Amino acid sequence: MKLVTFREKNPNENRLSLFPPAIKKLTGMGVEVLIPQDYGLHLEMNDSVFQEAGAKTYADEVEASGVSDFSVRVRAPGIEDIKLLKKGSIHASFMDPFTNPAVLDDFNTCGISSVSFEMIPRTTLAQKMDFLSSQANLAGYVAVIKAAESLNKIFPMMMTAAGTVTPVKVFIIGAGVAGLQAIATAKRLGAKVEAFDTRPVVEEQVQSLGAKFVKLDLGDTGQTDGGYAKELTKEQMEMQQEMMAKCCEQSDVVITTAQLFGRPAPRIVTGEMVNRMNPGSIIIDLAAETGGNVEGAVAGEKNIINGVTVIGAKNFPGHVAHVASQLFGNNVLNFVESYFDKEKKKFNLNLEDEIIQGCLMTHKGQTVNEMYLNITGNK
Ligand code: NAD
């Protein structure tokens, strides 16, 4: 089996989908790994690092696309690149199918079986190939580091001869993978941390990291069967906002991470709430790329609103691209290895398998993903 990767076309994407340790394991399994020339140069990694792991370097993208059985990228390719892929081959990447449904038509037109990494079920069995978790974890870390860098205060308490400095207060909204890592990082830096989530099940996880869980009785909230948050009603959102406003007012740093699977992120921090915060405070909106939790947050921008710095996250895992690529590569390896037929030396696209059913988007010219078809009402 030939497995190819490409240079990412999106100028904001600096992560790699394959990394030397994963390449070494793949080639050891008998997979021929093809990488473009100068693949990791922007991360100070020469071709030799990838070649030593067993990869072959190619110069001709058209040829490499046409001969490969499996292609992998961080982000989905455009139609021009999809057209180059071998008919009947498999493609896998973050496809963002809910905001980019046209990509499914492109894969169908070209007869490519496509896998969307963000659709891999969040089950224990699939943990080692959970791309969302590996990247969200890093986003949570980067959010805190960025906040610490932008804040004109220090996170820990310091008792010095010149006086005592109190720890900063950090409020984290949404305690999923990114939020929990943000809590852990802020705690390690010495901040006083509070967190809120609509899923009551995370209270214990928040407390186990040494943070306070802010409680609010919103009535029935809960989570979907897949473990994702349910959307709140209008009344529940209003109740939540009043409590959020009070917590934000008392915080030096607010980090929002709230997401809803398959839909735009909920708007939680309004302009009025931002205005009520102390000048000099920092807000980091980790959901800025998916609609934004904070009014006025723009992905990739730092805006000062009434003295409050509002930072909209844009590819935060890319700020630590070396580690992000290492973990991404391991996720790719674990995915491929789980379905690799060692005798035939090829990927076995087992349509009966639960994980494959969860993440396979297109196959034999048809959009086949049940969850996608249900959520988008195409079924
Ligand atoms: P996510 O990125 O979809 O959302 C982030 C957090 O925002 C969630 O905790 C969600 O409850 C919260 N949120 C949504 N609306 C909110 C609102 N209005 N106010 C406050 N918070 C709000 O979440 P995620 O980190 O991708 O995790 C999704 C689910 O997957 C979770 O249940 C998580 O435990 C589960 N998960 C399971 C595994 C596993 O078992 N292998 C691995 C990772 C994640």
Side-chain angles (χ1 to χ4, degrees):
M1 176 172 109
K2 284 188 170 67
L3 186 150
V4 66
T5 188
F6 303 92
R7 219 183 312 287
E8 295 293 317
K9 297 276 162 78
N10 185 319
N12 297 312
E13 190 51 80
N14 57 352
R15 288 170 291 176
L16 305 175
S17 56
L18 287 178
F19 216 61
I23 293 173
K24 193 162 182 207
K25 204 101 194 267
L26 286 164
T27 50
M29 284 156 46
V31 177
E32 202 178 315
V33 176
L34 307 175
I35 59 152
Q37 266 174 3
D38 298 338
Y39 182 48
L41 224 49
H42 62 289
L43 301 181
E44 317 304 332
M45 296 170 81
N46 288 326
D47 287 349
S48 60
V49 182
F50 297 90
Q51 287 159 350
E52 277 158 25
K56 287 187 182 147
T57 309
Y58 67 81
D60 186 344
E61 193 171 292
V62 178
E63 189 193 337
S65 299
V67 298
S68 295
D69 312 290
F70 197 113
S71 64
V72 63
R73 293 177 188 254
V74 176
R75 300 195 192 214
I79 181 68
E80 292 313 316
D81 291 317
I82 295 175
K83 275 185 191 162
L84 301 175
L85 298 172
K86 183 162 89 178
K87 197 167 179 204
S89 67
I90 302 169
H91 168 82
S93 62
F94 274 139
M95 281 165 55
D96 197 9
F98 295 101
T99 42
N100 184 23
V103 74
L104 302 182
D105 299 334
D106 296 342
F107 281 120
N108 281 331
T109 308
C110 299
I112 308 295
S113 299
S114 64
V115 165
S116 180
F117 286 146
E118 54 272 79
M119 301 293 283
I120 289 179
R122 312 297 287 275
T123 57
T124 309
L125 200 64
Q127 232 165 8
K128 60 187 177 176
M129 52 184 102
D130 187 341
F131 291 79
L132 284 178
S133 288
S134 74
Q135 303 302 304
N137 193 29
L138 296 175
Y141 166 84
V142 172
V144 175
I145 301 301
K146 286 231 167 274
E149 198 180 73
S150 305
L151 191 68
N152 53 20
K153 293 184 180 177
I154 59 166
F155 271 45
M157 182 175 97
M158 270 193 201
M159 292 167 90
T160 77
T164 298
V165 181
T166 51
V168 299
K169 287 188 182 154
V170 176
F171 180 41
I172 294 179
I173 303 174
V177 179
L180 290 172
Q181 182 55 250
I183 294 172
T185 307
K187 281 297 291 180
R188 271 183 228 125
L189 285 178
K192 219 169 153 214
V193 185
E194 290 188 341
F196 173 76
D197 197 296
T198 46
R199 291 181 302 125
V201 290
V202 298
E203 177 174 356
E204 214 180 293
Q205 294 164 25
V206 168
Q207 285 166 348
S208 73
L209 291 168
K212 185 177 160 206
F213 187 77
V214 176
K215 275 198 180 165
L216 173 69
D217 187 7
L218 293 176
D220 180 29
T221 51
Q223 55 184 6
T224 64
D225 291 344
Y228 288 104
K230 283 188 186 162
E231 194 166 15
L232 299 182
T233 63
K234 193 170 166 280
E235 292 73 32
Q236 286 173 320
M237 278 299 275
E238 282 166 7
M239 278 164 77
Q240 180 188 3
Q241 275 172 357
E242 186 41 43
M243 183 206 58
M244 298 281 114
K246 287 197 181 114
C247 290
C248 291
E249 258 177 67
Q250 292 159 8
S251 302
D252 302 288
V253 172
V254 174
I255 297 175
T256 67
T257 78
Q259 303 271 5
L260 294 165
F261 188 78
R263 9 181 30 153
R267 177 58 51 85
I268 297 172
V269 179
T270 61
E272 195 211 319
M273 286 158 74
V274 176
N275 289 340
R276 278 166 64 176
M277 286 175 68
N278 290 319
S281 309
I282 311 286
I283 303 179
I284 308 260
D285 185 354
L286 268 184
E289 277 182 294
T290 52
N293 294 148
V294 182
E295 197 173 335
V298 181
E301 286 185 19
K302 190 182 207 174
N303 293 320
I304 303 195
I305 304 173
N306 237 0
V308 176
T309 302
V310 180
I311 298 174
K314 190 165 199 177
N315 189 11
F316 266 16
H319 288 263
V320 286
H322 192 98
V323 180
S325 306
Q326 178 196 340
L327 300 182
F328 199 102
N330 287 346
N331 289 146
V332 170
L333 164 69
N334 293 332
F335 180 69
V336 174
E337 196 179 26
S338 298
Y339 299 100
F340 192 68
D341 185 324
K342 290 192 180 95
E343 274 163 29
K344 293 186 186 147
K345 298 264 180 257
K346 65 186 269 267
F347 189 89
N348 173 23
L349 193 64
N350 179 1
L351 301 178
E352 306 300 311
D353 181 272
E354 237 177 70
I355 298 174
I356 295 287
Q357 283 174 357
C359 62
L360 184 67
M361 301 305 295
T362 63
H363 186 56
K364 296 198 168 154
Q366 302 253 343
T367 300
V368 293
N369 192 284
E370 287 281 318
M371 191 197 271
Y372 174 83
L373 293 170
N374 281 330
I375 291 179
T376 54
N378 285 321
K379 205 174 151 108

